[in-house]
Amino acid sequence: MCVHVLGCKALQRADIDEIILDDLGDPEACAEGSVLGLFSFDSLKDSKKRKKTPDLQLFGHSSIAQEEAWSKGAVTASAQNFARQLMEMPSNMMTPTMFVEAVTKRLGEIQQTTSGKLEIIPRPLSWIQAQKMGAFMCVAKGSAELPWLLELRYNCSPNNQPIALVGKGITFDSGGISIKPSAGMGLMKGDMGGAATVAGTILAAASLGLPVSLVGLMPLCENMPSGTAVKPGDVVYAMNGKSIEVDNTDAEGRLILADALCYAHSFNPKAIVDLATLTGAIDVALGNGAAGVFTNSQSLWEQLHKASHVTGDRLWRMPLYQQYLKQIESRVADVHNIGTRRGAGACTAAMFLKEFITVPCWAHIDIAGVMESHGEVPFLDKGMTGRPTRTLVNFLEHATL
C-alpha cells in the first residue's frame, strides 16, 4: 500500500492527469492506499492552489476478480474520504443542518442503485422533543443551530434484525458552560467524527451492496455556552426515563448518545456499535495507534478485532469493569455524566453509556485518539482521518451475529 501511495503522491505533485498502477498482487489494497493518499482538503482554497486528483487505473489486462477487488478498495477508501471531508469542514460550513444536507446529497447519488434499500430520514427538533430525548436536548439548547437526528436505513425489513451504528454528531464542541481552553479548540469541528464515520460506512455498504441490514443514527447539534445552555448541577431525563446529573457540560457526547442508544433499541437490533470522539483519556492511553473498544460481547469483540487486523486500522479492547460504575454514581440522580474521581476517564464514559444498553451485543468505540493524523502513515496526510471506516465495512461484510 505504501509503495503505491508514495508513487501516486509524487506524480500528483508533478500535476499528472492519469496514473496506471501495478497492483503488486493486491488490487484492493492498491486502490485503498492510492485513493486515501491522494485525498486533499483544499476545496476552500483558490482554484489555482488546489491539487489535481489524477485518474487511477490498473496496469495491463486485469481479470474480473482483480477489477472487483480494485473497485471494492476504491469504494471503501472513497467512503472514508467522505467522512474526512465532513470532519474537515469548518463548523460554520458544517452545522447540523448542513451535515444532514451533505449526507443526504451524497447518499442520494447512490439511492437509485440500491433498488429502494437505502432510506434517508432526517428527524427534526419537533420529533426529538416528542421522543422525550431530554439528554440530547439539554446539549442542543445552548446553540442557535437547530439539532437533528439523522436516521439512515439500509436493507431493512420487518424480517431483518439490523446492526445499529450510532455516531456522535457534535458539529462544534466549545465545552458549553464548562468551556474548553482556546488552544486547539478549532479542532473541535471534528467532534462529529462518529457521525461522519457512520455516514461513510453506510455509504460504502450500500455502494458495495453488502447483504447486511443496517440502521445508522446520528444525533447532531452544537455544544455552546449561552443563556439557554445546560448548567453544571442540572438534572435531565433521558428517553428511557433515567435521570442524569450534568456535572460537566463538556462531557456532552455521552448525553446525546444516551438518547440515540435508547432509540436504537426500538429496531430490535442484533448488535449496537456506537462511535464517538468521546474522551481525551483514550488518546492518553492509546494515542492514534488504535481506537479503544468497550464491549459486553466477546463474539462482537473478536469480529471487530479481526476486521481491524485485516484493514490495519487497529482496535484495542479496554476494560469495562463493574467497579467503574461507582465513579458515576450521583447523590441526586440515577447517574452522573462524569466520573467523580480522577482516572479511568474513558472507562467511566463507557460505563455511563452502558447504563442505556439492554442488548447483549454492544460495543462502544472511542475514536478521540484516532480523530486526527499527523502524517504518521503515508496514506493519511495531516488532518482528519475518517477512521475506522474501513474496519467497520470489513466487519459488516463478514459479521456473523
Side-chain angles (χ1 to χ4, degrees):
M1 181 186 280
C2 291
V3 173
H4 294 113
V5 175
L6 294 171
C8 285
K9 290 169 88 169
L11 291 170
Q12 184 183 42
R13 288 192 294 271
D15 213 26
I16 299 299
D17 292 320
E18 182 182 42
I19 301 174
I20 300 174
L21 295 151
D22 187 325
D23 63 32
L24 302 180
D26 193 338
E28 184 176 346
C30 174
E32 282 188 357
S34 301
V35 172
L36 289 171
L38 290 173
F39 173 82
S40 178
F41 180 71
D42 54 11
S43 58
L44 305 181
K45 293 183 178 180
D46 185 279
S47 58
K48 295 177 182 177
K49 297 179 180 179
R50 296 176 198 167
K51 292 181 181 178
K52 182 185 293 184
T53 302
D55 291 329
L56 301 176
Q57 291 187 31
L58 275 175
F59 173 74
H61 297 287
S62 305
S63 66
I64 293 175
Q66 282 178 303
E67 291 288 351
E68 288 178 347
W70 167 270
S71 177
K72 179 182 173 185
V75 165
T76 307
S78 295
Q80 182 167 337
N81 284 348
F82 176 58
R84 294 165 82 183
Q85 180 78 16
L86 292 172
M87 294 173 71
E88 286 281 16
M89 287 299 288
S91 61
N92 65 319
M93 298 181 179
M94 192 52 66
T95 63
T97 300
M98 291 172 177
F99 185 100
V100 170
E101 291 170 348
V103 173
T104 300
K105 179 181 178 183
R106 182 67 186 90
L107 270 69
E109 293 170 2
I110 65 161
Q111 212 167 9
Q112 289 186 337
T113 66
T114 65
S115 303
K117 293 180 179 179
L118 180 61
E119 297 178 78
I120 305 166
I121 309 168
R123 304 289 193 182
L125 173 60
S126 58
W127 182 91
I128 297 167
Q129 291 171 326
Q131 299 299 310
K132 298 183 178 179
M133 293 184 169
F136 182 11
M137 280 303 306
C138 86
V139 179
K141 70 178 185 174
S143 173
E145 295 291 342
L146 290 173
W148 292 86
L149 190 141
L150 180 58
E151 182 178 323
L152 304 177
R153 300 183 188 183
Y154 170 67
N155 205 23
C156 287
S157 73
N159 300 322
N160 287 339
Q161 268 190 290
I163 294 173
L165 302 177
V166 181
K168 170 187 170 184
I170 299 291
T171 59
F172 186 75
D173 183 14
S174 70
I177 297 296
S178 308
I179 198 163
K180 294 177 181 289
S182 59
M185 193 190 286
L187 289 174
M188 290 299 97
K189 65 181 182 179
D191 207 26
M192 29 62 76
T197 301
V198 168
T201 299
I202 293 181
L203 171 63
S207 299
L208 294 170
L210 296 186
V212 62
S213 180
L214 293 174
V215 170
L217 302 175
M218 289 148 276
L220 300 158
C221 67
E222 292 182 334
N223 184 25
M224 298 292 286
S226 74
T228 59
V230 66
K231 304 174 295 296
D234 286 359
V235 174
V236 298
Y237 286 89
M239 184 181 178
N240 65 351
K242 280 196 176 184
S243 60
I244 304 167
E245 181 184 0
V246 181
D247 191 50
N248 188 322
T249 66
D250 195 23
E252 84 299 328
R254 65 201 72 181
L255 294 172
I256 70 170
L257 285 175
D259 279 331
L261 289 171
C262 290
Y263 179 54
H265 286 75
S266 67
F267 294 92
N268 188 28
K270 62 175 69 173
I272 298 175
V273 178
D274 75 75
L275 299 103
T277 49
L278 205 66
T279 67
I282 202 69
D283 189 21
V284 173
L286 300 176
N288 68 358
V293 178
F294 302 80
T295 180
N296 62 0
S297 167
Q298 179 65 21
S299 173
L300 179 56
W301 161 244
E302 288 173 356
Q303 292 179 56
L304 285 167
H305 192 217
K306 183 177 180 180
S308 78
H309 270 284
V310 172
T311 63
D313 195 350
R314 293 172 296 218
L315 303 175
W316 189 257
R317 191 171 189 178
M318 300 292 288
L320 198 62
Y321 301 143
Q322 195 67 16
Q323 72 184 62
Y324 295 130
L325 189 59
K326 280 282 184 184
Q327 290 181 238
I328 56 169
E329 287 182 351
S330 167
R331 187 178 61 84
V332 300
D334 294 322
V335 67
H336 212 265
N337 86 317
I338 196 165
T340 53
R341 297 191 303 277
R342 187 175 180 181
C347 301
T348 54
M351 187 57 75
F352 175 91
L353 295 178
K354 189 172 182 287
E355 288 292 288
F356 302 89
I357 293 294
T358 61
V359 295
C361 203
W362 160 72
H364 158 59
I365 306 179
D366 194 334
I367 61 173
V370 301
M371 177 184 84
E372 188 187 16
S373 168
H374 299 281
E376 294 86 354
V377 292
F379 54 87
L380 289 175
D381 276 343
K382 185 176 181 180
M384 300 296 170
T385 66
R387 294 170 63 184
T389 300
R390 291 180 300 118
T391 291
L392 286 176
V393 174
N394 187 278
F395 158 70
L396 293 173
E397 183 180 6
H398 301 100
T400 55
L401 299 169

Short mmCIF file of all heavy atoms in Angstrom, two decimals, residues 3-21 38 52-56:
data_model
loop_
_atom_site.label_atom_id
_atom_site.label_comp_id
_atom_site.label_asym_id
_atom_site.label_seq_id
_atom_site.Cartn_x
_atom_site.Cartn_y
_atom_site.Cartn_z
N VAL A 3 3.94 1.74 -1.02
CA VAL A 3 4.66 1.98 -2.27
C VAL A 3 3.77 2.72 -3.26
O VAL A 3 4.18 3.70 -3.90
CB VAL A 3 5.12 0.64 -2.89
CG1 VAL A 3 5.71 0.86 -4.28
CG2 VAL A 3 6.15 -0.04 -1.98
N HIS A 4 2.52 2.27 -3.37
CA HIS A 4 1.59 2.92 -4.29
C HIS A 4 1.31 4.37 -3.86
O HIS A 4 1.26 5.28 -4.69
CB HIS A 4 0.27 2.14 -4.33
CG HIS A 4 0.39 0.78 -4.94
ND1 HIS A 4 0.21 -0.36 -4.20
CD2 HIS A 4 0.67 0.38 -6.20
CE1 HIS A 4 0.37 -1.41 -4.99
NE2 HIS A 4 0.65 -0.99 -6.21
N VAL A 5 1.16 4.57 -2.56
CA VAL A 5 0.84 5.91 -2.06
C VAL A 5 1.96 6.89 -2.38
O VAL A 5 1.72 7.99 -2.90
CB VAL A 5 0.61 5.88 -0.53
CG1 VAL A 5 0.40 7.28 0.00
CG2 VAL A 5 -0.59 5.02 -0.20
N LEU A 6 3.19 6.50 -2.07
CA LEU A 6 4.32 7.39 -2.30
C LEU A 6 4.47 7.74 -3.77
O LEU A 6 4.73 8.89 -4.13
CB LEU A 6 5.60 6.74 -1.77
CG LEU A 6 5.65 6.55 -0.24
CD1 LEU A 6 6.86 5.71 0.15
CD2 LEU A 6 5.70 7.91 0.46
N GLY A 7 4.28 6.74 -4.64
CA GLY A 7 4.37 6.99 -6.07
C GLY A 7 3.27 7.90 -6.56
O GLY A 7 3.52 8.84 -7.34
N CYS A 8 2.04 7.65 -6.11
CA CYS A 8 0.91 8.47 -6.54
C CYS A 8 1.06 9.92 -6.09
O CYS A 8 0.77 10.85 -6.85
CB CYS A 8 -0.39 7.89 -5.99
SG CYS A 8 -0.97 6.41 -6.83
N LYS A 9 1.53 10.11 -4.86
CA LYS A 9 1.68 11.48 -4.36
C LYS A 9 2.76 12.24 -5.11
O LYS A 9 2.63 13.44 -5.38
CB LYS A 9 1.96 11.43 -2.85
CG LYS A 9 0.75 10.99 -2.04
CD LYS A 9 1.09 10.68 -0.61
CE LYS A 9 1.02 11.89 0.25
NZ LYS A 9 1.10 11.54 1.69
N ALA A 10 3.83 11.54 -5.47
CA ALA A 10 4.90 12.17 -6.25
C ALA A 10 4.39 12.59 -7.61
O ALA A 10 4.69 13.70 -8.09
CB ALA A 10 6.08 11.22 -6.38
N LEU A 11 3.59 11.73 -8.24
CA LEU A 11 3.03 12.06 -9.56
C LEU A 11 1.97 13.14 -9.46
O LEU A 11 1.81 13.96 -10.37
CB LEU A 11 2.45 10.80 -10.21
CG LEU A 11 3.50 9.74 -10.61
CD1 LEU A 11 2.83 8.44 -11.01
CD2 LEU A 11 4.38 10.26 -11.74
N GLN A 12 1.24 13.17 -8.36
CA GLN A 12 0.26 14.24 -8.15
C GLN A 12 0.96 15.60 -8.06
O GLN A 12 0.48 16.58 -8.63
CB GLN A 12 -0.54 13.97 -6.88
CG GLN A 12 -1.66 14.99 -6.63
CD GLN A 12 -2.39 14.72 -5.32
OE1 GLN A 12 -1.77 14.42 -4.30
NE2 GLN A 12 -3.72 14.83 -5.34
N ARG A 13 2.09 15.63 -7.37
CA ARG A 13 2.86 16.88 -7.27
C ARG A 13 3.38 17.33 -8.63
O ARG A 13 3.58 18.52 -8.87
CB ARG A 13 4.02 16.70 -6.28
CG ARG A 13 3.59 16.62 -4.82
CD ARG A 13 4.78 16.75 -3.90
NE ARG A 13 5.70 15.62 -4.01
CZ ARG A 13 5.61 14.50 -3.30
NH1 ARG A 13 4.62 14.35 -2.41
NH2 ARG A 13 6.49 13.54 -3.45
N ALA A 14 3.58 16.35 -9.52
CA ALA A 14 4.05 16.67 -10.87
C ALA A 14 2.89 17.04 -11.80
O ALA A 14 3.10 17.24 -13.00
CB ALA A 14 4.82 15.49 -11.44
N ASP A 15 1.67 17.11 -11.25
CA ASP A 15 0.49 17.53 -12.00
C ASP A 15 0.11 16.55 -13.11
O ASP A 15 -0.33 16.94 -14.19
CB ASP A 15 0.71 18.94 -12.59
CG ASP A 15 -0.58 19.74 -12.64
OD1 ASP A 15 -1.48 19.47 -11.82
OD2 ASP A 15 -0.68 20.64 -13.49
N ILE A 16 0.28 15.25 -12.84
CA ILE A 16 -0.06 14.21 -13.80
C ILE A 16 -1.57 13.97 -13.81
O ILE A 16 -2.22 13.97 -12.76
CB ILE A 16 0.68 12.89 -13.45
CG1 ILE A 16 2.20 13.10 -13.50
CG2 ILE A 16 0.26 11.76 -14.38
CD1 ILE A 16 2.73 13.51 -14.85
N ASP A 17 -2.14 13.76 -14.99
CA ASP A 17 -3.59 13.58 -15.13
C ASP A 17 -4.05 12.15 -14.87
O ASP A 17 -5.17 11.93 -14.40
CB ASP A 17 -4.05 13.99 -16.53
CG ASP A 17 -3.92 15.48 -16.76
OD1 ASP A 17 -4.22 16.24 -15.83
OD2 ASP A 17 -3.51 15.88 -17.86
N GLU A 18 -3.19 11.18 -15.20
CA GLU A 18 -3.60 9.78 -15.10
C GLU A 18 -2.43 8.95 -14.58
O GLU A 18 -1.29 9.13 -14.98
CB GLU A 18 -4.05 9.25 -16.47
CG GLU A 18 -4.54 7.82 -16.45
CD GLU A 18 -4.94 7.33 -17.84
OE1 GLU A 18 -4.22 7.62 -18.81
OE2 GLU A 18 -5.97 6.64 -17.94
N ILE A 19 -2.76 8.03 -13.67
CA ILE A 19 -1.74 7.14 -13.11
C ILE A 19 -2.20 5.70 -13.34
O ILE A 19 -3.32 5.33 -13.00
CB ILE A 19 -1.54 7.39 -11.60
CG1 ILE A 19 -1.12 8.84 -11.36
CG2 ILE A 19 -0.51 6.44 -11.03
CD1 ILE A 19 -1.03 9.22 -9.89
N ILE A 20 -1.32 4.90 -13.92
CA ILE A 20 -1.60 3.49 -14.17
C ILE A 20 -0.76 2.67 -13.18
O ILE A 20 0.46 2.82 -13.13
CB ILE A 20 -1.27 3.10 -15.62
CG1 ILE A 20 -2.12 3.95 -16.57
CG2 ILE A 20 -1.54 1.62 -15.85
CD1 ILE A 20 -1.79 3.76 -18.03
N LEU A 21 -1.43 1.84 -12.40
CA LEU A 21 -0.80 1.17 -11.27
C LEU A 21 -0.69 -0.34 -11.45
O LEU A 21 -1.65 -0.99 -11.88
CB LEU A 21 -1.60 1.45 -9.99
CG LEU A 21 -1.63 2.91 -9.52
CD1 LEU A 21 -2.91 3.19 -8.76
CD2 LEU A 21 -0.43 3.20 -8.65
N LEU A 38 -4.25 10.20 -2.07
CA LEU A 38 -4.43 11.36 -2.95
C LEU A 38 -5.44 12.37 -2.42
O LEU A 38 -5.63 13.43 -3.01
CB LEU A 38 -4.86 10.88 -4.35
CG LEU A 38 -3.78 10.15 -5.16
CD1 LEU A 38 -4.38 9.58 -6.45
CD2 LEU A 38 -2.62 11.07 -5.48
N LYS A 52 -4.55 18.69 -8.12
CA LYS A 52 -5.31 17.91 -9.10
C LYS A 52 -5.38 16.47 -8.62
O LYS A 52 -4.39 15.92 -8.13
CB LYS A 52 -4.64 17.98 -10.46
CG LYS A 52 -5.37 17.24 -11.57
CD LYS A 52 -4.57 17.26 -12.86
CE LYS A 52 -4.48 18.66 -13.43
NZ LYS A 52 -3.79 18.68 -14.73
N THR A 53 -6.55 15.85 -8.74
CA THR A 53 -6.69 14.43 -8.40
C THR A 53 -6.63 13.61 -9.67
O THR A 53 -7.55 13.65 -10.49
CB THR A 53 -8.02 14.15 -7.67
OG1 THR A 53 -8.08 14.97 -6.49
CG2 THR A 53 -8.12 12.69 -7.27
N PRO A 54 -5.54 12.88 -9.89
CA PRO A 54 -5.39 12.12 -11.14
C PRO A 54 -6.37 10.94 -11.22
O PRO A 54 -6.80 10.42 -10.19
CB PRO A 54 -3.95 11.62 -11.10
CG PRO A 54 -3.35 12.07 -9.82
CD PRO A 54 -4.41 12.71 -9.00
N ASP A 55 -6.69 10.54 -12.44
CA ASP A 55 -7.46 9.31 -12.64
C ASP A 55 -6.54 8.12 -12.37
O ASP A 55 -5.36 8.14 -12.72
CB ASP A 55 -7.98 9.24 -14.08
CG ASP A 55 -9.05 10.30 -14.35
OD1 ASP A 55 -9.78 10.65 -13.40
OD2 ASP A 55 -9.13 10.77 -15.50
N LEU A 56 -7.11 7.07 -11.76
CA LEU A 56 -6.34 5.88 -11.42
C LEU A 56 -6.85 4.69 -12.22
O LEU A 56 -8.06 4.48 -12.35
CB LEU A 56 -6.46 5.58 -9.92
CG LEU A 56 -5.98 6.66 -8.95
CD1 LEU A 56 -6.26 6.24 -7.52
CD2 LEU A 56 -4.49 6.94 -9.15
#
